[in-house]
Amino acid sequence: MPDLRYVPEQRLWLLHTPSTSYAVALDDDDNVRHLHWGARLTTPAIREPAAGSSFDTAGGPRELDAEGGARFGPAGLQVRFADGSRGVEWRYAGHDIDAGHLRIHLDDRHHPMRVTLHYRVHDDTDVIERWTTVTNSGGPIAVQRCDSASWTLPQRPGYRMSHLVGGWNSEFRLRRTDVPVAETVFTSRRGMTSHQANPWLALDDGAAAEEHGEVWSTALAWSGSWRITLHRDPAGHVTWTGGPGHEGLTWTLGTGETLETPVYAGLYTDGGFGAASRAWHAYTRRHVVPHPAEVRPVLYNSWEATGFDVDEAGQTALAAKAARLGVELFVVDDGWFGERVSDHAGLGDWTPNPDRFPHGLRPLADEVHRLGMLFGLWVEPEMVNPDSDLYRAHPDWVLHTAHRGRTEMRNQLVLNLARPDTAAWTHAWLDRLVTDNDIDFLKWDANRAFTEAGWPGHADPDRLWLDHTRAVYQIMDRLRAGHPGLRIEACSGGGGRADLGILARTDQVWTSDNTDPVDRIGIQHGFSQLFPAQVMGAWVTDSPNVATARRTPLRFRFHVAMAGALGIGGDLTTWSEDELKEAAELIEVYKRIRPAVQHGAAHRLTGDGTLSAVGYSYEDQFVVLAWCPSRPFGHDPAPLRLTGIDPAAEYRDTDTGVVHSGAVLRQSGLDLDFPQGDHASVLVHLVRVDRKG
Ligand code: GLA
């Protein structure tokens, strides 16, 4: 059972996860102060808060740093009341503890506004889920900022931050750098989680490494705009506050309304970045994704092969080839509907293009099913081309601002799904499409950011920044409820919408439009900081790669993509018989290692600089995927030490039959037999040897 306790004499709450503790307490002014986040404690030290001066605030960090009084840091709650006043003063209004869920209620001393700080702990993870609700029983309140949570580090001699940056085709690049004595803002103002920054942040004291050291990390479960502000002051205090929405947005909380923020989850570990990632992966599987026990099917998607040139004959031919390779899910990408023969027209007209699919999608869906595969389809429900029947009928359904242009990106505009009519229409066509065509899988894309995000005629237009994302969630939730067999892939021009919010209603993420295996190693390394391999869509495509023109062997492409949920995205009509045979064999191998990759514990294995590798330990198996993109003469990779393997066991290599001692693999390492030349890779599948007697 989760362990949550209130200690009345100290007005203190103590939360225990299996190996960490978290403590907060009320001060004399009823502010909820942060006391501890770290190793497990029975009694947290309650230090007298630092004295203030005429220039500085007294007291320690707060759990949600509301604007008001002598507070000068980044505010996690900023409101303006109906009488024009701003700033809050709290009166403690009690708490509830219900299984693993603690709610601390705070009322404003004057205005009828209640803020509740929520904490949820589970007995199988060290992740603590936090969020905020604000209930207004008075006149309208303008909410300028309402964060999900503020987090505080214990004092350490130094601080370093790890975060994910990038762009289209280069998502999830891990950056690790000192925390400046400043306010550092991580944000998306795009209406989407974004390629540029991901709402995951890890802090350490500068000494943590992959397998050791204290790491505090947090992840916001939100798929729209967001902001996290990290503050390091000159005295060495570090706090950060984060939630949905970016600066400058204000929405109104009406009388009787409650605003609930998304979860901002936090995790402490003393086992380094590797242990932090494994704990996030396990949490994501146990508490976030809808069907963790399933293995993700090997999929085929023809986007890179055919672009917009999809039709029944071409897709049927590809499906036949894919089925022979052992593909389990066949996905038709963009170009199947309306006038969508390029990205200039048709988005929004979700009926099959009559020239391309004269009898609709049903014959293709039936053929794919007959071939023993699941049938998937690409959709982009939040978007519209101005050149479409939908836009001609409803030009007011898009995000737009009076007296301003409508900026097109990829020739498209964003539908305002905060509008109930637009959202209802969207759910209805998706529901019909899935029903009529027996669709098993949707690739849900969203290929542009918000601009001119207005809602003319609406009294509270900024609301759409929250309500659009909520509507996406609701439509997905309703679709899944109506079609329990339906699985969804989250995509936004690749990895522009990967977060724990979307993953609560999708099954995998299209990690990046960049399928070059060398680039992918870096992208996958960053992605794996937070997300498990099970949700990481990874395709094998053609060589030379369409984005980088780099030529790589098929085996290397496979070995990189096998580190996630494997897919094939090449033009199979151009693959030679030898390539098709090799691909079929590698898919078979993937199916054997898939339980370990998708359900095992991932260990990023640190090589000697010439290679990178991941090991997956699962039940009696240990799988190693190692990649060596290039190496100078005389620098063959040193043996790879398999952290994460059981030192007390012996393992048989399923390929060679050689038996290795776990202790030796851990201490001295595994000799990897890399083929000569660039883009070399190795897959080793070890199975524990049963000890007789
Ligand atoms: C986005 C996706 C691609 C593909 C195209 C189709 O870029 O990331 O995988 O689906 O849209 O237009």
Side-chain angles (χ1 to χ4, degrees), residues 303 333-334 378 410 443 445 447 491 493-494 510 513:
W303 172 247
D333 210 278
D334 199 351
W378 180 93
R410 212 192 188 208
K443 175 176 174 184
D445 210 339
N447 274 308
C491 177
W510 178 225
D513 279 345

Side-chain angles (χ1 to χ4, degrees), residues 390-646:
L390 175 67
Y391 188 72
R392 284 182 279 274
H394 297 287
D396 51 330
W397 277 13
V398 298
L399 299 179
H400 66 287
T401 300
H403 317 300
R404 295 287 174 260
R406 298 181 180 197
T407 302
E408 292 178 23
M409 298 170 81
R410 212 192 188 208
N411 313 301
Q412 64 195 58
L413 299 168
V414 184
L415 286 175
N416 179 2
L417 293 190
R419 290 176 63 117
D421 50 356
T422 316
W425 176 85
T426 303
H427 174 264
W429 74 255
L430 280 163
D431 185 48
R432 214 168 34 243
L433 184 75
V434 171
T435 308
D436 290 352
N437 299 291
D438 240 343
I439 289 170
D440 305 296
F441 178 94
L442 289 175
K443 175 176 174 184
W444 181 303
D445 210 339
N447 274 308
R448 59 157 292 174
F450 292 12
T451 59
E452 295 95 22
W455 188 347
H458 195 279
D460 192 25
D462 281 358
R463 213 166 239 274
L464 69 86
W465 289 92
L466 293 183
D467 286 350
H468 177 97
T469 305
R470 288 179 177 146
V472 169
Y473 288 171
Q474 279 158 12
I475 294 168
M476 286 183 173
D477 292 346
R478 261 183 88 190
L479 269 182
R480 297 191 78 113
H483 305 274
L486 181 70
R487 301 290 175 265
I488 304 179
E489 178 173 56
C491 177
S492 171
R497 203 191 241 163
D499 58 79
L500 298 181
I502 206 75
L503 275 173
R505 56 268 303 166
T506 55
D507 302 278
Q508 59 197 71
V509 172
W510 178 225
T511 314
S512 177
D513 279 345
N514 184 341
T515 59
D516 177 297
V518 176
D519 283 19
R520 269 290 175 130
I521 292 172
I523 291 172
Q524 296 183 176
H525 179 75
F527 189 87
S528 77
Q529 300 298 316
L530 174 62
F531 304 112
Q534 186 181 33
V535 306
M536 185 176 76
W539 302 348
V540 173
T541 55
D542 294 336
S543 174
N545 184 269
V546 72
T548 62
R550 188 182 278 124
R551 287 176 195 276
T552 52
L554 191 65
R555 182 181 146 94
F556 182 73
R557 280 175 269 152
F558 261 97
H559 283 168
V560 173
M562 282 166 145
L566 177 69
I568 312 296
D571 184 357
L572 298 180
T573 61
T574 65
W575 288 20
S576 68
E577 273 311 311
D578 282 352
E579 284 173 321
L580 291 170
K581 185 165 167 285
E582 190 181 357
E585 284 164 8
L586 286 160
I587 289 174
E588 214 179 292
V589 172
Y590 176 71
K591 288 178 183 170
R592 283 204 295 275
I593 63 163
R594 171 164 62 179
V597 171
Q598 295 197 13
H599 294 150
H603 297 264
R604 289 182 295 258
L605 302 171
T606 326
D608 58 1
T610 50
L611 67 81
S612 39
V614 183
Y616 306 87
S617 78
Y618 177 68
E619 297 180 346
D620 62 346
Q621 303 177 44
F622 199 93
V623 170
V624 179
L625 286 163
W627 314 287
C628 185
S630 77
R631 62 202 126 144
F633 173 79
H635 286 77
D636 281 344
L640 183 68
R641 293 177 63 188
L642 306 188
T643 52
I645 207 153
D646 179 357

Side-chain angles (χ1 to χ4, degrees), residues 17-103:
T17 68
S19 45
T20 72
S21 298
Y22 194 96
V24 301
L26 285 168
D27 69 11
D28 294 344
D29 291 326
D30 285 1
N31 297 299
V32 183
R33 301 278 187 188
H34 180 80
L35 291 182
H36 173 78
W37 182 23
R40 223 177 136 105
L41 298 176
T42 36
T43 19
I46 304 195
R47 289 197 196 86
E48 276 311 304
S53 71
S54 58
F55 294 102
D56 261 319
T57 325
R62 302 179 189 192
E63 284 292 282
L64 184 69
D65 214 352
E67 182 183 45
R71 308 294 300 167
F72 308 106
L77 181 72
Q78 275 182 303
V79 293
R80 194 172 42 237
F81 297 102
D83 64 2
S85 62
R86 49 192 308 148
V88 296
E89 288 180 1
W90 299 122
R91 180 182 295 119
Y92 172 57
H95 75 269
D96 308 297
I97 293 179
D98 170 12
H101 184 177
L102 162 68
R103 298 175 190 82

Side-chain angles (χ1 to χ4, degrees), residues 237-257:
H237 304 108
V238 170
T239 59
W240 64 105
T241 179
H246 54 269
E247 78 290 344
L249 302 177
T250 301
W251 55 84
T252 307
L253 196 61
T255 310
E257 248 194 301

